[in-house]
Amino acid sequence: MPSVLGALTATIGFLSVVGATPVQLEKRKAFSIKQVERTKYIKNGAQQKVKTLRKFGVKVPEQLLAASSTGPNDSLNGSVPAVPVDDYDSLYLTPVELGNTTVQLDFDTGSADLWTFSSLQASSQLTGHDYYRVDPGKKLQGHTWRIQYGDGSGAGGTVYADKVVVGGVTATSQAVEAATSVSSQFTRDRDTDGLLGLSFSSLNTVRPTAQKTFFDTVKENLQAPLFAVTLKFHAAGSYDFGFIDKSKYKGEITYVDVDTSNGWWEFTATGYAVGDGSTTQASISGIGDTGTTLMYLPINVVKAYYAKVTGSTDSSRYGGWVFPCSATLPDFTLVVAGTKQTVPGQHINYAPVQTGGTTCYGGIQEDTGIGFSIFGDVFLKSKYVIHEAGDTPRLGFAEQA
Ligand SMILES: *[C@@H]1O[C@H](CO)[C@@H](O)[C@H](O)[C@H]1NC(C)=O
Ligand SMILES: *[C@@H]1O[C@H](CO)[C@@H](O)[C@H](O)[C@H]1NC(C)=O
Ligand SMILES: *[C@@H]1O[C@H](CO)[C@@H](O)[C@H](O)[C@H]1NC(C)=O
């Protein structure tokens, strides 16, 4: 048994689970879990970019910070905005049972912590959130976690080995990271009660002993050691654990080997194309990341894309590439393992920069400062994406049915 599980079992040994597998499967060794669509908020593209830079520890430029605090923002109102629904992003939550509570978590293939708002926080921080009720008897003594972002915001707390139920699978002893404090950026963000990380466990922030992700805890007990993500354009998608759902894609699945050395689902694309244009060879290394809304690409690729969008400009006022909302956007294609993986142009119109405005923020932005590209939701949304563990983990891409 791996050392992490050993440690967990030892810690909660008095609960008489010694020798028991930390995983219990109900009936099927595979399950699918449906997402719940969040309330749609008015989204600000620059705010998404700020969030992404923070996530990857990049200092946020002053000008971008300024752009993110002007224009519509998502902290105002939960009502459906008065502009066409297609101009807005949707974020997704998945119900997860932690101990005796159900919270709505953001499944994030770009991080490895299962952290949640908890009863250890001041009640003033819990307004509008579901939260985990900690059981002191399940505390993983001496263990703490802290996620720190480039701008000083962050969250941290203590760790519990508790029951976690996702769909049909119960992990009886999964590390649940209960927040004791979160910075105001998180309390304001009503979208998130917490995250369920699905990157490789090497990125886990629990100290002194890093803990396994939920997927790593359960994968050996699944029918197949994989999960598949279906993020949908303006609709609720699903996560399938342990099986590939043939009804959710069409055509062939293209697999690409994953480089796990940095802990992410990282792979290298070998080229790109804009619209019907010819393919340009380029080595584009990046990570698949369900926890990042947009797609961040090398500056020359981004410029090549927006060269085909009339009226587009890299705007310091709005903190990124914008264009007239009326523009017809070309498709964008990444070449992955010799196949074309295409994002419909429609998906690249992220949102108007102002309510009812005529300028729109692009779903493709520059990856400057991050050090690699990010194939976020804008890329993943049109695809059925298989995340397969194994000696050489791989990602499989197919077109959604
Ligand atoms: C964004 O939200 C904050 C908090 O409600 C508010 O202070 C700020 O004025 C808002 N910005 C705009 C442009 O509405
Ligand atoms: C919230 O949205 C509702 C419905 O659109 C609107 O009537 C109300 O004025 C909004 N409140 C704020 C604070 O924007
Ligand atoms: C849920 O679990 C917590 C921690 O063990 C406990 O304090 C609380 O009473 C439980 N609530 C219910 C409704 O069972």
Side-chain angles (χ1 to χ4, degrees):
M1 189 176 267
S3 59
V4 171
L5 277 185
L8 275 178
T9 308
T11 307
I12 59 167
F14 61 90
L15 295 170
S16 73
V17 296
V18 175
T21 164
V23 180
Q24 272 174 5
L25 289 170
E26 294 165 8
K27 296 181 199 108
R28 294 165 300 136
K29 290 197 168 203
F31 64 95
S32 177
I33 183 152
K34 289 208 169 59
Q35 298 177 317
V36 180
E37 200 167 355
R38 287 177 186 167
T39 313
K40 291 192 177 80
Y41 298 104
I42 297 170
K43 290 297 180 186
N44 167 312
Q47 282 179 357
Q48 289 303 334
K49 193 163 181 184
V50 167
K51 273 192 195 174
T52 300
L53 293 181
R54 281 179 182 148
K55 176 172 177 178
F56 293 99
V58 181
K59 189 172 182 331
V60 180
E62 287 300 324
Q63 209 160 31
L64 180 61
L65 214 47
S68 74
S69 62
T70 63
N73 64 51
D74 54 7
S75 54
L76 273 177
N77 205 326
S79 62
V80 180
V83 287
V85 73
D86 279 13
D87 289 342
Y88 292 85
D89 186 48
S90 304
L91 294 175
Y92 301 98
L93 290 172
T94 303
V96 174
E97 217 179 296
L98 303 177
N100 63 14
T101 343
T102 298
V103 296
Q104 308 291 326
L105 299 184
D106 189 356
F107 281 27
D108 179 13
T109 59
S111 66
D113 287 59
L114 193 176
W115 78 262
T116 171
F117 277 62
S118 84
S119 51
L120 301 173
Q121 288 171 259
S123 57
S124 60
Q125 291 196 340
L126 296 173
T127 310
H129 289 275
D130 290 325
Y131 60 92
Y132 169 57
R133 273 84 172 169
V134 309
D135 176 348
K138 294 188 175 149
K139 190 164 185 192
L140 211 50
Q141 296 298 340
H143 285 70
T144 58
W145 64 280
R146 166 142 288 276
I147 298 178
Q148 190 75 44
Y149 295 94
D151 66 340
S153 71
T158 50
V159 185
Y160 295 78
D162 208 339
K163 185 178 79 162
V164 173
V165 185
V166 180
V169 119
T170 300
T172 49
S173 179
Q174 167 67 38
V176 176
E177 302 170 37
T180 48
S181 65
V182 301
S183 59
S184 56
Q185 288 90 336
F186 287 107
T187 41
R188 272 204 303 270
D189 187 350
R190 288 172 299 174
D191 284 342
T192 313
D193 296 330
L195 264 64
L196 187 144
L198 291 169
S199 72
F200 294 89
S201 295
S202 57
L203 292 179
N204 183 265
T205 74
V206 174
R207 298 293 175 264
T209 313
Q211 302 295 309
K212 284 189 171 192
T213 65
F214 174 78
F215 177 59
D216 273 347
T217 302
V218 304
K219 71 176 183 230
E220 259 103 64
N221 299 74
L222 296 173
Q223 195 173 288
L226 59 84
F227 63 93
V229 182
T230 317
L231 292 182
K232 294 205 164 182
F233 185 62
H234 299 315
S238 63
Y239 282 79
D240 301 327
F241 281 84
F243 74 111
I244 293 171
D245 187 339
K246 289 199 160 61
S247 73
K248 288 182 180 159
Y249 70 91
K250 57 190 174 194
E252 296 297 306
I253 300 171
T254 298
Y255 285 97
V256 63
D257 283 351
V258 165
D259 175 356
T260 64
S261 57
N262 295 311
W264 286 301
W265 294 92
E266 187 171 346
F267 64 96
T268 301
T270 57
Y272 68 92
V274 179
D276 296 330
S278 57
T279 300
T280 303
Q281 304 245 9
S283 178
I284 305 171
S285 286
I287 65 169
D289 184 5
T290 59
T292 290
T293 305
L294 308 181
M295 212 175 158
Y296 295 87
L297 297 170
I299 186 166
N300 59 323
V301 179
V302 176
K303 282 186 168 158
Y305 180 78
Y306 288 111
K308 303 288 185 202
V309 181
T310 308
S312 64
T313 177
D314 183 7
S315 160
S316 55
R317 177 170 175 207
Y318 296 121
W321 283 89
V322 297
F323 44 78
C325 295
S326 58
T328 301
L329 298 175
D331 295 347
F332 178 80
T333 298
L334 263 190
V335 181
V336 178
T339 65
K340 289 185 164 182
Q341 299 296 329
T342 299
V343 177
Q346 183 193 24
H347 294 196
I348 300 167
N349 185 335
Y350 172 56
V353 296
Q354 271 160 2
T355 309
T358 55
T359 297
C360 278
Y361 197 83
I364 289 178
Q365 298 291 340
E366 293 168 12
D367 65 9
T368 311
I370 299 172
F372 47 86
S373 293
I374 303 176
F375 311 122
D377 296 347
V378 165
F379 178 67
L380 303 170
K381 259 181 220 176
S382 52
K383 324 226 162 294
Y384 188 67
V385 188
I386 296 153
H387 297 67
E388 189 186 88
D391 290 341
T392 303
R394 34 179 214 165
L395 280 171
F397 294 100
E399 201 183 331
Q400 277 179 24

